Amino acid sequence: MHDDRNLVEGRLRRVLDERIRPAVYPESVPLDVAVWHAPGEPVPVAEGLAAEPQPIQVGARWGAPWGTSWFRVRGSVPRAWAGRTVEALLDLGFDENMPGFQCEGLVYAPDGTPVKGLNPRNQWVRVGAPVAGGEEVVLHIEAASNPVLLGYRPFRPTRLGDRETAGAEPQYTLTRMDLAVFDETVWHLVADLEVLGELMAELPVDSPRRWDILRAVDRALDAVDLQDVNGTAARARERLAGVLAAPAAPSAHRISAVGHAHIDSAWLWPLRETVRKVARTASNMTALLEDEPEFVFAMSQAQQWAWIKEHRPEVWTRVKKAVADGRFVPAGGMWVESDTNMPGSEAMARQFVHGKRFFLDEFGIENDEAWLPDTFGFAAGLPQIIRAAGSTRLLTQKISWSQTNKFPHHTFWWEGIDGTRIFTHFPPVDTYNCSMKGGEIAHAVRNFRDKGVARHSLAPTGWGDGGGGTTREMVAKAARLRDLEGSARVVWETPRAFFDKAEAEYPEPPVWVGELYLELHRATLTSQARTKQGNRRSEHLLREAELWAATAAVRTGFPYPYEDLDRIWKTVLLHQFHDILPGSSIAWVHREARATYDRVAAELGAIVEAAQRALAGDGGTELVFNSAPHARAGVPAGGAATARAEGATALTEREGGGFVLDNGLLRIGIDARGLVVSAYDIRAGRETVAPDRAANLLQLHPDLPNMWDAWDVDAFYRHTVTDLTDAETVEAGEDGGSVRIVRSFGSSRVTQVLSLPAGERRLVLDTEVDWHETEKFLKLAFPLDVHAERYASETQFGHVHRPTHTNTSWEAARFEACNHRFVHVAEPGWGVAVVNDSTYGHDVTRTVRRDGDPGTTTTVRVSLLRAPRFPDPETDQGVHRFRHALVPGADIADAVREGWRINLPERRLTGAGEVAPLVTVDEDAVVVTAVKLADDGGGDVVVRFHEAHGGRARATLTAGFDLAGAEVTDLLERPLPDVPAPAHEGGRITVRLRPFELMTLRLRRA
């Protein structure tokens, strides 16, 4: 037989596009349209419905950037259409190639009942099936004219990302507002042909199945009268029935389709717009659930559910019913789909506490999975946190975006730093916006790395980013793929059902130990420094507020601010969303974030001050309150006392220019350039700075990644570097114990103060940068005379080790990584820590010196600032302040302690006398991360702590109040089954912890 494959396939494409798809709506009549443009921010639904609109014609421009327009459409169903299905086709000016990234609408009935969302791939509203003819149709559309920021030429700087700079130019053209007859038979023919055509394209050319489909398609197209598609569609479908009925092979891959709409809680739109995106999508999905009995939809992010409840009660009613029916499924158990690299230990725990508690309180549902399809890599401490929250599973897709190395598994155990393992799945479909295309399904089958031992994978199915979720077309395709020869078997299932099957078939999957590093989006550790600083400051202020409020409540009856702390925690957790904290959102988002963090700081500061004042009482004794988990200067952890004096620091001029700082523990040499050329550990008799090198070296790189400007830094940025060694000023500080340095470069200016606190082995570097560069990357370098093949950086509830070498492509790809409060490098017996108060990104490299003094130089570089132009063209412009400290002679214990110290500076008050800690621990390796009252308001004291040094620990925890009993709990403060209550004697409890083990104790007050 002659090979006419290309001829038939070309015929299929043209006939589908030009004749069959247009015949889905064979008849239409225009609707009358009027519009009212809301002046400013979105208005309540009742106000929008009551506004008096003005006539507007199809073809007119509408919608200023970020505006809201209320359209009213009216019309009558022609009586000649009686008995037929009729839909309203409402095209606001959509580009079908951009679902989720442009204008959107929510349709209401005249009484305010939400009907469904409008999106580029979802422009219809059912009017009747069948209609009687003559019905009057009135619909209202709340239309959002969100501008397109990520267009066909992506990553172009734009002022559209903030309403304050976006202007008023209309963004869209009203395209179609019609009533139309919906021909369901033709619609099904489209689905038949699309499924078969897409499957055919994925089968081998020499496959008999491919040719069976080709011949059936050819016969079906012969049956279509191109002048009467509607009259002949049924006949064409009959000719496809045979190939559609052929069952899948017994060995076919199994795909669990989960209805999904990945909605970023903020990104190329502000938080307020996400509130509406979620309402539109939930309206769509509840409507689709009513129409499609097999369909299942899952939605994560408790914050988004809470928004529906608060802002769209009419949608919430429908959502609650669908949840009760078991088909609208809460997923993930987190407050938002947060970044997991940068949130601190307690914040990461509270993501699960607040998320899971919301779903438990509202629906009585507890999620067993963490659902993070789009998060930019996963910290090694996360498995323990997931387990401690009562969950056991993780789903993500993002690691498939890695630039360099292909991850070796799709289903596996992920093991964290303490040995905890989580059953983990990466959907091989490689998208969290699956649309049931044949190419996607075939890719999932080919791509699945665990063939031969497993055959189940998951496909999150639906348009995200405000695209409206799953469509009826996707459901129709999935129905045809349930049992179809040549394809994977597709079935709608909940995440729990998928994981149950996957675990049952694969009880001993492979193990991946350590962080799940994303080899992409590394610059999110640095972009938008003020947002990151706001997060870090808020996390520590929340610790202080809980600690001192709990202490004051127990000691003085101070009213514990349960509701305020709950609300503030949720605000901070929201801003840890994976496009806010990482700095990858529009200017509007970060402008609002800065204002929010300022409000949070003021509120928490007031709580701390009031609680400390209640504890201090009246008196003239100067008290130092120590919020850190370690004693310092004679002040106990979590208590207040008079601090003891620590000696003095001498400042002398250095031969050749510059200064020497000496406090008897360290001797710091600062040259005439303001660079640290010596950091001598007097006790160890050892130099810290590598020979012929200088620390406190600011380095500037060009920084224009190939894509994703705010997200990425590409390895070639290192090819060019400028050392900022010229100083305008190097002078003694006004306090007589510090050195002040001023530098200028480009359009920017840096002022630094280097100080050596008395009695302490740490050089403190306060850096102020007035930053006005574009597409540049600023680093702060510390070349250290340390031979280290690996280094430690803090992560949640412990630290992770990374190599300093690049033996493999996996190691080379980690050229920018995350730390929390410290980075530590060491040889046996001696090490150095670099601690920070607000930075996350860093790199560590090693070189071997060949001339002069041989040996190894290990360079730690802190990432300070970037200046990408998309999506915020003014990223980080302005003044920034950072604090770092260099700690020579530090072991891990020192790194942990100094990291806490720099983030929790002492507070001073005058009062009556010392304040004893509410809880004490006698082992420095056991670090308390939270002291608070129990969330249920019962008055119990909750203490969370972990082993922080990486070894086993035995510690005694002592309650500073009459103790009636204690129990070990999960993160939600529920007793752990099969874990005996710890014994206590005289308020003392002995605990034993494995390396990095996390424990929560609930202490009952007598």
Side-chain angles (χ1 to χ4, degrees), residues 938-975:
D940 292 347
V941 175
V942 172
V943 185
R944 188 150 34 248
F945 49 89
H946 70 289
E947 195 290 317
H949 297 172
R952 294 185 180 271
R954 179 182 183 276
T956 299
L957 182 146
T958 303
F961 53 89
D962 292 338
L963 184 64
E967 54 192 4
V968 182
T969 74
D970 66 6
L971 295 179
L972 277 70
E973 301 168 8
R974 303 173 298 190

Side-chain angles (χ1 to χ4, degrees), residues 153-331:
R153 298 180 65 206
F155 318 122
R156 295 300 191 269
T158 174
R159 298 286 178 179
L160 291 171
D162 194 333
R163 183 158 194 163
E164 294 184 351
T165 60
E169 182 71 21
Q171 299 292 294
Y172 296 99
T173 300
L174 199 62
T175 302
R176 185 176 187 182
M177 294 277 154
D178 289 347
L179 286 178
V181 171
F182 174 72
D183 189 324
E184 190 168 1
T185 301
V186 176
W187 184 83
H188 278 296
L189 177 60
V190 171
D192 292 343
L193 289 171
E194 285 183 349
V195 166
L196 290 171
E198 291 166 4
L199 172 60
M200 181 170 58
E202 299 299 326
L203 295 171
V205 173
D206 58 359
S207 161
R209 173 65 169 164
R210 179 162 182 162
W211 289 89
D212 286 346
I213 295 172
L214 186 81
R215 293 296 164 226
V217 167
D218 205 21
R219 290 192 297 271
L221 295 177
D222 288 342
V224 175
D225 182 341
L226 298 184
Q227 276 66 52
D228 184 17
V229 172
N230 302 89
T232 54
R235 185 172 64 195
R237 291 199 71 205
E238 290 173 0
R239 296 189 178 185
L240 297 173
V243 288
L244 284 168
S251 61
H253 186 71
R254 269 72 167 169
I255 291 179
S256 297
V258 178
H260 187 240
H262 172 71
I263 302 177
D264 289 315
S265 289
W267 180 28
L268 301 180
W269 48 85
L271 288 167
R272 66 89 155 146
E273 193 56 32
T274 313
V275 176
R276 303 200 296 174
K277 284 177 177 280
V278 173
R280 296 174 198 126
T281 297
S283 296
N284 261 357
M285 295 301 93
T286 51
L288 190 61
L289 288 167
E290 293 173 359
D291 294 339
E292 302 289 349
E294 295 186 352
F295 176 57
V296 175
F297 180 75
M299 191 169 91
S300 68
Q301 307 193 68
Q303 171 69 86
Q304 296 189 359
W305 293 71
W307 279 333
I308 299 175
K309 181 181 180 182
E310 178 183 357
H311 297 284
R312 289 290 194 270
E314 64 281 2
V315 179
W316 180 247
T317 300
R318 293 167 57 177
V319 167
K320 285 199 301 182
K321 180 184 181 303
V323 172
D325 293 341
R327 299 176 59 215
F328 197 118
V329 182

Side-chain angles (χ1 to χ4, degrees), residues 311-620:
H311 297 284
R312 289 290 194 270
E314 64 281 2
V315 179
W316 180 247
T317 300
R318 293 167 57 177
V319 167
K320 285 199 301 182
K321 180 184 181 303
V323 172
D325 293 341
R327 299 176 59 215
F328 197 118
V329 182
M334 295 175 69
W335 190 247
V336 295
E337 290 180 11
S338 74
D339 181 79
T340 76
N341 286 311
M342 290 176 282
S345 303
E346 252 333 281
M348 201 73 255
R350 304 298 176 97
Q351 284 286 353
F352 288 90
V353 169
H354 287 281
K356 297 195 78 170
R357 189 170 285 147
F358 180 89
F359 293 134
L360 282 165
D361 291 347
E362 295 293 337
F363 308 113
I365 291 174
E366 180 155 10
N367 304 100
D368 198 38
E369 75 288 331
W371 185 274
L372 293 163
D374 191 30
T375 296
F376 309 151
F378 300 87
L382 189 57
Q384 179 175 206
I385 298 171
I386 294 173
R387 283 273 183 183
S391 298
T392 60
R393 296 156 167 174
L394 169 68
L395 179 136
T396 185
Q397 180 270 325
K398 200 68 174 187
I399 300 300
S400 70
W401 287 40
S402 285
Q403 287 176 313
T404 305
N405 298 284
K406 188 174 180 63
F407 198 80
H409 319 296
H410 281 105
T411 303
F412 60 99
W413 286 115
W414 178 29
E415 182 177 317
I417 55 176
D418 73 313
T420 297
R421 290 182 177 180
I422 295 294
F423 191 81
T424 302
H425 180 67
F426 293 173
V429 71
D430 279 353
T431 177
Y432 40 79
N433 295 312
C434 176
S435 61
M436 284 292 134
K437 286 184 178 178
E440 294 170 336
I441 302 303
H443 175 76
V445 175
R446 289 192 296 266
N447 189 40
F448 189 55
R449 304 299 292 271
D450 302 289
K451 296 183 187 75
V453 287
R455 63 176 57 176
H456 282 86
S457 71
L458 186 145
T461 302
W463 300 117
D465 295 313
T470 317
T471 66
R472 62 183 178 183
E473 288 77 16
M474 297 174 193
V475 176
K477 286 188 170 186
R480 288 157 175 79
L481 297 172
R482 173 181 282 276
D483 190 11
L484 183 63
E485 183 185 354
S487 171
R489 297 175 185 261
V490 177
V491 61
W492 294 105
E493 290 189 302
T494 65
R496 182 185 294 273
F498 159 73
F499 273 110
D500 286 347
K501 290 180 179 178
E503 284 197 73
E505 76 171 355
Y506 207 8
E508 296 296 332
V511 178
W512 181 272
V513 179
E515 67 184 324
L516 292 170
Y517 180 93
L518 177 64
E519 297 170 355
L520 193 74
H521 293 359
R522 304 168 182 90
T524 57
L525 303 172
T526 305
S527 297
Q528 297 287 0
R530 292 186 191 91
T531 299
K532 292 170 170 57
Q533 289 178 323
N535 175 73
R536 180 76 69 87
R537 179 171 61 164
S538 297
E539 288 181 353
H540 288 90
L541 283 170
L542 277 160
R543 170 195 173 84
E544 291 189 83
E546 289 183 338
L547 168 66
W548 299 121
T551 305
V554 173
R555 296 279 166 71
T556 73
F558 179 82
Y560 191 80
Y562 291 102
E563 292 182 1
D564 289 339
L565 289 171
D566 179 78
R567 172 178 49 80
I568 294 170
W569 261 117
K570 289 173 179 174
T571 297
V572 173
L573 298 177
L574 166 60
H575 285 78
Q576 291 177 341
F577 178 74
H578 67 253
D579 276 307
I580 302 178
L581 179 55
S584 46
S585 286
I586 56 175
W588 190 343
V589 173
H590 293 288
R591 172 172 57 81
E592 290 189 331
R594 292 191 292 271
T596 298
Y597 284 131
D598 286 344
R599 290 194 300 271
V600 164
E603 280 197 81
L604 292 174
I607 293 172
V608 171
E609 183 178 4
Q612 289 182 339
R613 176 50 58 199
L615 287 165
D618 296 327

Side-chain angles (χ1 to χ4, degrees), residues 579-720:
D579 276 307
I580 302 178
L581 179 55
S584 46
S585 286
I586 56 175
W588 190 343
V589 173
H590 293 288
R591 172 172 57 81
E592 290 189 331
R594 292 191 292 271
T596 298
Y597 284 131
D598 286 344
R599 290 194 300 271
V600 164
E603 280 197 81
L604 292 174
I607 293 172
V608 171
E609 183 178 4
Q612 289 182 339
R613 176 50 58 199
L615 287 165
D618 296 327
T621 303
E622 185 178 75
L623 299 174
V624 172
F625 281 79
N626 177 17
S627 303
H630 309 92
R632 59 190 184 197
V635 182
T642 301
R644 64 170 181 261
E646 296 281 5
T649 297
L651 173 68
T652 58
E653 293 189 7
R654 179 176 177 272
E655 184 177 351
F659 299 90
V660 175
L661 294 168
D662 191 327
N663 67 0
L665 299 173
L666 296 179
R667 186 163 57 247
I668 307 297
I670 302 167
D671 70 6
R673 302 171 296 172
L675 303 179
V676 176
V677 292
S678 175
Y680 190 74
D681 182 347
I682 295 172
R683 182 179 61 182
R686 173 151 182 175
E687 177 58 64
T688 304
V689 181
D692 301 319
R693 299 292 300 277
N696 188 39
L697 175 64
L698 290 163
Q699 295 183 303
L700 192 66
H701 296 270
D703 182 22
L704 181 65
N706 289 344
M707 299 175 66
W708 301 107
D709 296 38
W711 294 255
D712 283 356
V713 56
D714 289 330
F716 54 73
Y717 89 94
R718 290 181 172 179
H719 296 174
T720 306

Side-chain angles (χ1 to χ4, degrees), residues 864-889:
L864 295 182
L865 289 166
R866 300 182 67 238
R869 300 182 65 207
F870 182 87
D872 177 3
E874 300 294 328
T875 301
D876 280 333
Q877 300 300 295
V879 177
H880 304 268
R881 295 177 180 86
F882 307 96
R883 172 168 284 190
H884 295 84
L886 179 69
V887 190

